Amino acid sequence: MMSQYMEEFEQEPFEVGEFIERLTWRTNNELQNSEDFNPEALHNTFIQTIKDLKILQEKQQSRCERLEESLRQEQDSHAKKIVKLQERHQTAIDWFGQLDEKINSVAGKIMHLGEQLENVNTPRSRSVEAQKLLSYMSEFLMAGPVIVNDIFSDPLRLHEAADVIQKLYAISQDLPPGNFAESKRKIEKKYDEVERRLIEEFAAAQKSEDIERMKCLAQILSQFKGYTQCVDAYIEQSQMQPCSGKDIFIGIVPMCKHHYEIIKKVFANPQQVMSKFILNIYQLKLHQYAMTKLEDKKDEEKYLRTLYELYSRTLKLSSDLQVYMSTIDDDLLQKLTQQIFMKNLAVYPEIEIKCLTAKCSTELEKFYASKKHQKTQTTKGFRRNMEVLIATRANINIAAIEDYGGETFLSEELAINMLQEAKASFKRCRLLSSEVELPGNAIKLNGILQRFLMHEHVDYALELGLQAVPLAEGKVFPQLYFFDVVQKTNIIVHLLDKLCNTSVIPCVSNTPKYSDYVFKKRTLMDQIETKLDQGLDRSISAVIGWVKVYLQYEQKKTDYKPETDVDTISSAACLQVVQSLQPVIVQIKKCVDGENLQNVLTEFGTRLHRIIYDHLQTMQFNTAGAMCAICDVNEYRKCIRELDSPLVTQLFDILHALCNLLLVKPQNLQEVCTGDTLNYLDKSVVRQFIQLRTDFRIIKNTNYLKGIIE
């Protein structure tokens, strides 16, 4: 049992409750033959288990004491070992300190000895070096040709020869020119010879990409007066090959990146050498490339595109290469760019204006040629006004209205082409114009666009459209094309406004030219809006005038005053008018947009109401005719619902209520007149409609009209 208890105690986690449950379960199983629960047996089991656990506890306690004693002995043993190690470590520290003192003492003596040796050797070395220089100098001081020493003839001793001749050259500069002129000339000649050989060696090392030898030679040449020739030789040889075929811009940045790494390793002043490297690219390579590309100015459009491309790519190149420039040369690349394109930028505005003028003019000519139309001088409305006056007074038309077969002479495609050309011009203008000239150049380009697109195209089409609107009160339903003119004009104006917001305003904002731009634009838009309003007014007048004439001639008196009972239906004249007006409303809603649409529809509806109202005032109505009139008004109401105008809807609702006065029994007139719809009307209006009844003479002397007639 002890081993079983140990197994259960060592389980993780140990639960006391579970242990008691298992003990109870085992006891009950042993007594399974007994039918009743035996608490005595369970009590005995618990007593025995407690005794067993106490014995187990005593054994475990004894074992723990033995282990603790063993641990204390090991601790004492390790503590003694640590004390011995500390004593040995302290002894080693003492020995190290003594050794360090001896090393410092020996080092001090060695340094003192070295200084003494150097003091003795330095004068000796200088004397030896001076003796060598004097021996070399004596050769140059002797009369006659110079005897070539081995040091100057041996290619392997070039570095030594360079050191000697450089020192001799420095000494010769202090000699008086009189007696030593010949000697100085010989030294300078040999100096130039050695310098040339060094540069040749440097170029050879560059070809073989021997960086270490290039660095050594550059360091030697830095003491010579021809050091700049070494830098020039490196730059010339590095840029000898084309950068990248026909497109020079592609290879410049990689080339500079490659050579910058070499220059940093070879030259002591890499920033100055790199600046000169890039300067050579701009002044020679780029300048020649740009002049070659821009020498042909016959095709102005191609010239402007090339100029823009070259200038923009040069600016980007300058931005990419700025990392290789020193801080003192911060604006050098910008100045070099201006120098390259200075002549081209000076004449750019003139060429741009000339090119845009030619392109817009050509687009207009091509458009009118495609329409087989010859532009004529418009009469500015005078002839039209005379025709209207004569037609009104004499009831005749002196000439037919020319509508050009419905052609509007407005082209969205033409406008887009012009705007695209102008957009390209503004894009070039922003890049190629100086900050001072930019606003003025942008205003000039905008003036060209407005002249050709708005004045010579849109304004001309509006004049033709105004003249093509039929005269009012014609007997034939008018053919209206001006609504199409309005639609296309709105589209063109929106496209122009979008271009101005993105291309013109950024060029002139925050400058004195901005107010000039706003004034000219407002003047132009006012002129266009005035003609659009005039054309819409004429178009509405033509339609409403036709309705007036048509009802006047086609509406029979018997429609509203039949002699016999007839079916209650709308009159033929009314149905024809409604049928003719529906396409007009659809066309207006298609061609007019924004707030103008609601204004036009409201104006159209109010004029139509006035015509129908006046027309009904000319009729007499009996009961059957009144039913027909109400049917007609209902048809008109259905028609005008498409206008979506609350005002017009209210006017026709009132008209419908007035027509009810023609139908109701005389005794109900007072009640109808005081209803919600007619109560607020002027009594004279109500009285006029009641007088249109055929039985008015009978009922006017009755009390039915009391308060209405009076």
Side-chain angles (χ1 to χ4, degrees), residues 264-306:
K264 286 195 299 183
K265 298 176 182 178
V266 172
F267 296 99
N269 52 343
Q271 285 292 345
Q272 297 178 15
V273 176
M274 195 62 196
S275 296
K276 193 170 185 179
F277 187 92
I278 296 175
L279 180 67
N280 193 73
I281 293 176
Y282 274 74
Q283 291 183 335
L284 297 180
K285 302 290 184 180
L286 275 181
H287 187 269
Q288 182 62 36
Y289 181 78
M291 293 303 101
T292 303
K293 288 284 187 180
L294 296 172
E295 62 183 1
D296 185 11
K297 297 183 181 179
K298 294 180 181 179
D299 188 344
E300 294 178 342
E301 183 180 4
K302 180 181 178 182
Y303 168 80
L304 290 172
R305 286 201 304 266
T306 304

Side-chain angles (χ1 to χ4, degrees), residues 12 21 24 121 152 240-241 333 379 511 665 671 681:
E12 291 292 342
E21 288 291 336
T24 304
N121 187 59
F152 296 113
M240 188 177 298
Q241 298 297 328
L333 296 182
T379 59
T511 68
K665 296 179 179 180
E671 180 182 354
L681 285 182

Side-chain angles (χ1 to χ4, degrees), residues 196-210 213-214 217 221 229-230 233-234 237 240:
R196 183 175 64 256
R197 288 171 58 192
L198 287 170
I199 294 175
E200 291 174 354
E201 285 289 327
F202 181 87
Q206 182 181 356
K207 289 182 180 179
S208 61
E209 298 183 354
D210 189 347
R213 180 155 179 77
M214 289 171 62
L217 291 169
L221 280 167
Q229 298 178 19
C230 171
Y234 176 83
Q237 187 164 315
M240 188 177 298

Side-chain angles (χ1 to χ4, degrees), residues 301 304 308 348 352-353 355-361 363 413-431 438 441-454 492 495-505 507:
E301 183 180 4
L304 290 172
Y308 174 82
Y348 158 72
E352 186 70 77
I353 290 172
C355 180
L356 182 60
T357 302
K359 292 292 293 184
C360 292
S361 178
E363 291 290 341
E413 181 180 357
L414 170 65
I416 292 174
N417 291 340
M418 284 190 179
L419 292 171
Q420 288 294 336
E421 294 293 340
K423 183 178 181 180
S425 295
F426 284 119
K427 185 178 179 181
R428 291 191 291 264
C429 179
R430 293 183 67 179
L431 181 71
L438 176 59
N441 292 341
I443 289 295
K444 291 178 182 178
L445 294 176
N446 186 56
I448 294 171
L449 178 62
Q450 288 185 352
R451 169 191 162 193
F452 285 97
L453 179 60
M454 301 307 295
I492 293 174
L495 292 174
L496 175 63
D497 192 55
K498 183 178 179 181
L499 175 69
C500 290
N501 290 336
T502 57
S503 299
V504 182
I505 292 180
C507 298

Side-chain angles (χ1 to χ4, degrees), residues 565-662:
D565 292 336
V566 295
D567 294 334
T568 306
I569 58 174
S570 300
S571 64
C574 168
L575 294 176
Q576 182 60 42
V577 168
V578 170
Q579 184 180 356
S580 301
L581 291 182
Q582 287 174 341
V584 175
I585 296 174
V586 172
Q587 189 179 16
I588 292 175
K589 297 177 76 171
K590 174 185 175 183
C591 298
V592 185
D593 59 1
E595 295 181 1
N596 293 330
L597 175 61
Q598 192 59 48
N599 295 336
V600 171
L601 292 176
T602 300
E603 181 66 21
F604 181 84
T606 53
R607 292 193 191 183
L608 177 63
H609 170 268
R610 171 51 61 183
I611 290 297
I612 296 174
Y613 179 87
D614 293 342
H615 172 68
L616 293 176
Q617 290 288 324
T618 63
M619 298 293 179
Q620 287 287 318
F621 301 86
N622 57 19
T623 302
M627 290 294 295
C628 181
I630 291 176
C631 290
D632 285 355
V633 172
N634 282 331
E635 289 296 327
Y636 293 133
R637 291 170 72 192
K638 292 179 184 178
C639 179
I640 61 95
R641 285 198 192 104
E642 299 298 324
L643 301 179
D644 298 325
S645 173
L647 174 61
V648 177
T649 301
Q650 183 182 12
L651 290 175
F652 275 88
D653 288 344
I654 293 173
L655 182 61
H656 181 268
L658 289 172
C659 288
N660 283 332
L661 296 175
L662 306 173

Side-chain angles (χ1 to χ4, degrees), residues 60-71:
Q60 293 298 323
Q61 183 66 33
S62 176
R63 183 180 178 186
C64 288
E65 290 175 354
R66 289 196 302 272
L67 290 175
E68 289 176 354
E69 180 63 26
S70 176
L71 178 62

